[in-house]
CSV table of all heavy atoms in Angstrom, one decimal:
chain,number,residue,atom,x,y,z
A,8,ALA,N,-38.7,8.2,-5.9
A,8,ALA,CA,-38.7,9.7,-5.8
A,8,ALA,C,-37.3,10.2,-5.9
A,8,ALA,O,-37.1,11.2,-6.6
A,8,ALA,CB,-39.3,10.0,-4.4
A,9,ILE,N,-36.3,9.6,-5.2
A,9,ILE,CA,-35.0,10.1,-5.3
A,9,ILE,C,-34.0,8.9,-5.5
A,9,ILE,O,-34.1,7.9,-4.8
A,9,ILE,CB,-34.6,10.8,-3.9
A,9,ILE,CG1,-35.5,12.0,-3.7
A,9,ILE,CG2,-33.1,11.2,-3.9
A,9,ILE,CD1,-35.4,12.6,-2.3
A,10,GLU,N,-33.1,9.0,-6.4
A,10,GLU,CA,-32.1,8.0,-6.6
A,10,GLU,C,-30.7,8.6,-6.6
A,10,GLU,O,-30.5,9.5,-7.4
A,10,GLU,CB,-32.4,7.2,-8.0
A,10,GLU,CG,-31.4,6.1,-8.2
A,10,GLU,CD,-31.7,5.3,-9.4
A,10,GLU,OE1,-32.5,5.6,-10.2
A,10,GLU,OE2,-31.0,4.2,-9.5
A,11,ILE,N,-29.9,8.1,-5.8
A,11,ILE,CA,-28.5,8.6,-5.7
A,11,ILE,C,-27.6,7.6,-6.4
A,11,ILE,O,-27.6,6.4,-6.2
A,11,ILE,CB,-28.1,8.7,-4.2
A,11,ILE,CG1,-29.0,9.7,-3.5
A,11,ILE,CG2,-26.6,9.1,-4.1
A,11,ILE,CD1,-28.7,9.8,-2.0
A,12,THR,N,-26.8,8.1,-7.4
A,12,THR,CA,-26.0,7.3,-8.2
A,12,THR,C,-24.5,7.6,-8.2
A,12,THR,O,-23.8,7.1,-9.0
A,12,THR,CB,-26.5,7.4,-9.7
A,12,THR,OG1,-26.4,8.7,-10.2
A,12,THR,CG2,-27.9,6.9,-9.8
A,13,ALA,N,-24.1,8.4,-7.3
A,13,ALA,CA,-22.7,8.8,-7.2
A,13,ALA,C,-22.2,8.8,-5.7
A,13,ALA,O,-23.0,8.8,-4.8
A,13,ALA,CB,-22.5,10.3,-7.7
A,14,ASP,N,-20.9,8.6,-5.6
A,14,ASP,CA,-20.3,8.7,-4.2
A,14,ASP,C,-20.3,10.2,-3.7
A,14,ASP,O,-20.4,11.1,-4.5
A,14,ASP,CB,-18.8,8.2,-4.3
A,14,ASP,CG,-18.8,6.7,-4.5
A,14,ASP,OD1,-19.7,6.0,-4.1
A,14,ASP,OD2,-17.8,6.3,-5.2
A,15,SER,N,-20.0,10.3,-2.4
A,15,SER,CA,-19.8,11.6,-1.8
A,15,SER,C,-21.0,12.5,-2.0
A,15,SER,O,-20.8,13.7,-2.4
A,15,SER,CB,-18.5,12.2,-2.3
A,15,SER,OG,-17.4,11.4,-2.0
A,16,VAL,N,-22.2,12.1,-1.7
A,16,VAL,CA,-23.4,12.9,-1.8
A,16,VAL,C,-23.9,13.2,-0.4
A,16,VAL,O,-24.0,12.3,0.5
A,16,VAL,CB,-24.5,12.2,-2.6
A,16,VAL,CG1,-25.8,12.9,-2.5
A,16,VAL,CG2,-24.0,12.0,-4.0
A,17,THR,N,-24.3,14.4,-0.1
A,17,THR,CA,-25.0,14.8,1.1
A,17,THR,C,-26.4,15.2,0.7
A,17,THR,O,-26.5,16.2,-0.1
A,17,THR,CB,-24.3,15.9,1.9
A,17,THR,OG1,-23.0,15.4,2.3
A,17,THR,CG2,-25.1,16.3,3.1
A,18,LEU,N,-27.4,14.6,1.2
A,18,LEU,CA,-28.8,15.0,0.9
A,18,LEU,C,-29.5,15.4,2.2
A,18,LEU,O,-29.7,14.6,3.1
A,18,LEU,CB,-29.5,13.8,0.3
A,18,LEU,CG,-31.0,14.0,0.0
A,18,LEU,CD1,-31.3,15.1,-1.0
A,18,LEU,CD2,-31.6,12.6,-0.5
A,19,ASP,N,-29.9,16.6,2.3
A,19,ASP,CA,-30.6,17.2,3.5
A,19,ASP,C,-32.0,17.4,3.1
A,19,ASP,O,-32.3,18.3,2.3
A,19,ASP,CB,-29.9,18.5,4.0
A,19,ASP,CG,-30.6,19.0,5.3
A,19,ASP,OD1,-31.6,18.5,5.7
A,19,ASP,OD2,-30.0,19.9,5.8
A,20,LEU,N,-32.9,16.6,3.6
A,20,LEU,CA,-34.3,16.7,3.3
A,20,LEU,C,-35.1,17.7,4.1
A,20,LEU,O,-36.3,17.9,3.9
A,20,LEU,CB,-35.0,15.3,3.3
A,20,LEU,CG,-34.5,14.3,2.2
A,20,LEU,CD1,-35.2,13.0,2.4
A,20,LEU,CD2,-34.8,14.9,0.8
A,21,ASN,N,-34.4,18.3,5.1
A,21,ASN,CA,-35.0,19.3,5.9
A,21,ASN,C,-36.4,18.9,6.5
A,21,ASN,O,-37.3,19.7,6.5
A,21,ASN,CB,-35.1,20.6,5.1
A,21,ASN,CG,-35.3,21.9,5.9
A,21,ASN,OD1,-34.9,21.9,7.1
A,21,ASN,ND2,-36.0,22.9,5.4
A,22,GLY,N,-36.5,17.7,7.0
A,22,GLY,CA,-37.7,17.2,7.6
A,22,GLY,C,-38.8,16.7,6.7
A,22,GLY,O,-39.8,16.3,7.1
A,23,ILE,N,-38.5,16.6,5.4
A,23,ILE,CA,-39.5,16.1,4.4
A,23,ILE,C,-39.7,14.6,4.7
A,23,ILE,O,-38.8,13.9,5.0
A,23,ILE,CB,-39.0,16.3,3.0
A,23,ILE,CG1,-38.9,17.7,2.7
A,23,ILE,CG2,-39.9,15.6,2.0
A,23,ILE,CD1,-40.2,18.5,2.6
A,24,ALA,N,-40.9,14.1,4.6
A,24,ALA,CA,-41.3,12.7,4.8
A,24,ALA,C,-41.3,12.0,3.5
A,24,ALA,O,-41.9,12.5,2.5
A,24,ALA,CB,-42.6,12.6,5.5
A,25,LEU,N,-40.7,10.8,3.4
A,25,LEU,CA,-40.8,9.9,2.3
A,25,LEU,C,-41.7,8.8,2.8
A,25,LEU,O,-41.4,8.1,3.8
A,25,LEU,CB,-39.5,9.3,1.9
A,25,LEU,CG,-38.5,10.4,1.4
A,25,LEU,CD1,-37.1,9.7,1.2
A,25,LEU,CD2,-39.0,11.0,0.2
A,26,GLU,N,-42.9,8.6,2.2
A,26,GLU,CA,-43.9,7.7,2.7
A,26,GLU,C,-44.2,6.6,1.6
A,26,GLU,O,-44.3,6.9,0.5
A,26,GLU,CB,-45.2,8.4,3.1
A,26,GLU,CG,-45.0,9.4,4.1
A,26,GLU,CD,-46.2,10.0,4.6
A,26,GLU,OE1,-47.3,9.4,4.4
A,26,GLU,OE2,-46.2,11.1,5.1
A,27,SER,N,-44.4,5.4,2.1
A,27,SER,CA,-44.9,4.3,1.3
A,27,SER,C,-46.4,4.2,1.7
A,27,SER,O,-46.7,4.1,2.9
A,27,SER,CB,-44.2,3.0,1.7
A,27,SER,OG,-44.8,1.9,1.0
A,28,ARG,N,-47.2,4.2,0.7
A,28,ARG,CA,-48.7,4.1,1.0
A,28,ARG,C,-49.2,2.8,0.5
A,28,ARG,O,-48.6,2.1,-0.3
A,28,ARG,CB,-49.4,5.3,0.4
A,28,ARG,CG,-49.2,5.4,-1.0
A,28,ARG,CD,-49.8,6.8,-1.5
A,28,ARG,NE,-49.4,7.0,-2.9
A,28,ARG,CZ,-50.1,6.7,-3.9
A,28,ARG,NH1,-51.2,6.1,-3.8
A,28,ARG,NH2,-49.7,6.9,-5.1
A,29,LEU,N,-50.4,2.4,1.0
A,29,LEU,CA,-51.0,1.2,0.6
A,29,LEU,C,-52.1,1.6,-0.4
A,29,LEU,O,-52.8,2.6,-0.3
A,29,LEU,CB,-51.7,0.5,1.8
A,29,LEU,CG,-50.7,0.0,2.8
A,29,LEU,CD1,-51.4,-0.6,4.0
A,29,LEU,CD2,-49.7,-1.0,2.2
A,30,VAL,N,-52.2,0.8,-1.4
A,30,VAL,CA,-53.3,1.0,-2.5
A,30,VAL,C,-54.2,-0.2,-2.5
A,30,VAL,O,-53.8,-1.3,-2.2
A,30,VAL,CB,-52.7,1.3,-3.9
A,30,VAL,CG1,-51.9,2.5,-3.9
A,30,VAL,CG2,-51.8,0.1,-4.3
A,31,SER,N,-55.4,0.1,-2.9
A,31,SER,CA,-56.4,-0.9,-2.9
A,31,SER,C,-56.4,-1.6,-4.3
A,31,SER,O,-56.4,-0.9,-5.3
A,31,SER,CB,-57.8,-0.3,-2.7
A,31,SER,OG,-58.8,-1.3,-2.8
A,32,GLY,N,-56.5,-2.9,-4.4
A,32,GLY,CA,-56.5,-3.6,-5.6
A,32,GLY,C,-57.0,-5.0,-5.4
A,32,GLY,O,-56.6,-5.7,-4.5
A,33,ASN,N,-57.9,-5.5,-6.2
A,33,ASN,CA,-58.5,-6.9,-6.1
A,33,ASN,C,-59.0,-7.1,-4.7
A,33,ASN,O,-58.7,-8.2,-4.1
A,33,ASN,CB,-57.4,-7.9,-6.5
A,33,ASN,CG,-57.0,-7.7,-7.9
A,33,ASN,OD1,-57.7,-7.4,-8.7
A,33,ASN,ND2,-55.7,-8.0,-8.2
A,34,ASN,N,-59.7,-6.1,-4.1
A,34,ASN,CA,-60.2,-6.3,-2.7
A,34,ASN,C,-59.2,-6.5,-1.6
A,34,ASN,O,-59.5,-7.2,-0.7
A,34,ASN,CB,-61.3,-7.4,-2.7
A,34,ASN,CG,-62.5,-7.0,-3.6
A,34,ASN,OD1,-62.9,-5.9,-3.7
A,34,ASN,ND2,-63.0,-8.0,-4.3
A,35,ARG,N,-58.0,-6.1,-1.8
A,35,ARG,CA,-57.0,-6.2,-0.8
A,35,ARG,C,-56.1,-5.0,-0.8
A,35,ARG,O,-56.0,-4.3,-1.8
A,35,ARG,CB,-56.2,-7.5,-0.9
A,35,ARG,CG,-55.4,-7.5,-2.2
A,35,ARG,CD,-54.6,-8.8,-2.3
A,35,ARG,NE,-53.8,-8.6,-3.5
A,35,ARG,CZ,-53.1,-9.6,-4.1
A,35,ARG,NH1,-53.1,-10.8,-3.5
A,35,ARG,NH2,-52.3,-9.4,-5.1
A,36,LEU,N,-55.3,-4.8,0.3
A,36,LEU,CA,-54.4,-3.7,0.3
A,36,LEU,C,-53.0,-4.2,0.0
A,36,LEU,O,-52.6,-5.3,0.4
A,36,LEU,CB,-54.4,-3.1,1.7
A,36,LEU,CG,-55.6,-2.3,2.1
A,36,LEU,CD1,-55.5,-1.8,3.5
A,36,LEU,CD2,-55.9,-1.1,1.2
A,37,GLN,N,-52.3,-3.5,-0.8
A,37,GLN,CA,-50.9,-3.9,-1.2
A,37,GLN,C,-50.0,-2.7,-1.2
A,37,GLN,O,-50.4,-1.6,-1.4
A,37,GLN,CB,-51.0,-4.6,-2.6
A,37,GLN,CG,-51.5,-3.7,-3.7
A,37,GLN,CD,-51.8,-4.5,-4.9
A,37,GLN,OE1,-51.9,-5.7,-4.9
A,37,GLN,NE2,-52.0,-3.8,-6.0
A,38,ASN,N,-48.7,-3.0,-1.0
A,38,ASN,CA,-47.7,-1.9,-1.0
A,38,ASN,C,-47.5,-1.5,-2.4
A,38,ASN,O,-47.5,-2.3,-3.4
A,38,ASN,CB,-46.4,-2.4,-0.4
A,38,ASN,CG,-46.4,-2.5,1.1
A,38,ASN,OD1,-46.9,-1.6,1.7
A,38,ASN,ND2,-46.0,-3.6,1.6
A,39,CYS,N,-47.2,-0.2,-2.6
A,39,CYS,CA,-46.8,0.3,-3.9
A,39,CYS,C,-45.4,-0.2,-4.2
A,39,CYS,O,-44.6,-0.5,-3.3
A,39,CYS,CB,-46.8,1.9,-3.8
A,39,CYS,SG,-48.4,2.6,-3.5
A,40,ALA,N,-45.1,-0.3,-5.5
A,40,ALA,CA,-43.8,-0.8,-5.9
A,40,ALA,C,-42.7,0.2,-5.9
A,40,ALA,O,-41.5,-0.1,-6.0
A,40,ALA,CB,-44.0,-1.5,-7.3
A,41,GLY,N,-43.1,1.5,-5.9
A,41,GLY,CA,-42.0,2.5,-6.0
A,41,GLY,C,-41.2,2.7,-4.7
A,41,GLY,O,-41.7,2.2,-3.6
A,42,LEU,N,-40.1,3.3,-4.8
A,42,LEU,CA,-39.2,3.5,-3.6
A,42,LEU,C,-39.2,5.0,-3.4
A,42,LEU,O,-39.1,5.8,-4.3
A,42,LEU,CB,-37.8,3.0,-3.9
A,42,LEU,CG,-37.7,1.5,-4.3
A,42,LEU,CD1,-36.3,1.2,-4.7
A,42,LEU,CD2,-38.1,0.7,-3.1
A,43,GLY,N,-39.1,5.3,-2.1
A,43,GLY,CA,-38.9,6.7,-1.7
A,43,GLY,C,-37.5,7.2,-2.0
A,43,GLY,O,-37.2,8.2,-2.6
A,44,LEU,N,-36.5,6.3,-1.7
A,44,LEU,CA,-35.1,6.7,-1.8
A,44,LEU,C,-34.4,5.4,-2.2
A,44,LEU,O,-34.5,4.4,-1.6
A,44,LEU,CB,-34.6,7.3,-0.5
A,44,LEU,CG,-33.1,7.7,-0.5
A,44,LEU,CD1,-32.8,8.8,-1.5
A,44,LEU,CD2,-32.7,8.1,0.9
A,45,ALA,N,-33.6,5.5,-3.2
A,45,ALA,CA,-32.8,4.3,-3.7
A,45,ALA,C,-31.4,4.8,-4.0
A,45,ALA,O,-31.1,5.9,-4.3
A,45,ALA,CB,-33.4,3.7,-4.9
A,46,THR,N,-30.4,3.8,-3.9
A,46,THR,CA,-29.1,4.1,-4.3
A,46,THR,C,-28.7,3.0,-5.4
A,46,THR,O,-29.2,1.9,-5.4
A,46,THR,CB,-28.1,4.0,-3.1
A,46,THR,OG1,-28.1,2.7,-2.6
A,46,THR,CG2,-28.4,5.0,-2.1
A,47,ALA,N,-27.8,3.4,-6.2
A,47,ALA,CA,-27.3,2.5,-7.3
A,47,ALA,C,-26.1,1.7,-6.7
A,47,ALA,O,-25.0,2.1,-6.9
A,47,ALA,CB,-26.9,3.3,-8.5
Side-chain angles (χ1 to χ4, degrees):
I9 300 169
E10 184 174 8
I11 298 172
T12 61
D14 290 328
S15 301
V16 172
T17 298
L18 176 63
D19 185 348
L20 292 178
N21 199 28
I23 297 292
L25 298 174
E26 299 186 25
S27 172
R28 56 192 170 90
L29 297 175
V30 294
S31 174
N33 299 326
N34 297 322
R35 65 180 185 187
L36 292 176
Q37 57 193 13
N38 283 315
C39 298
L42 301 172
L44 179 63
T46 60

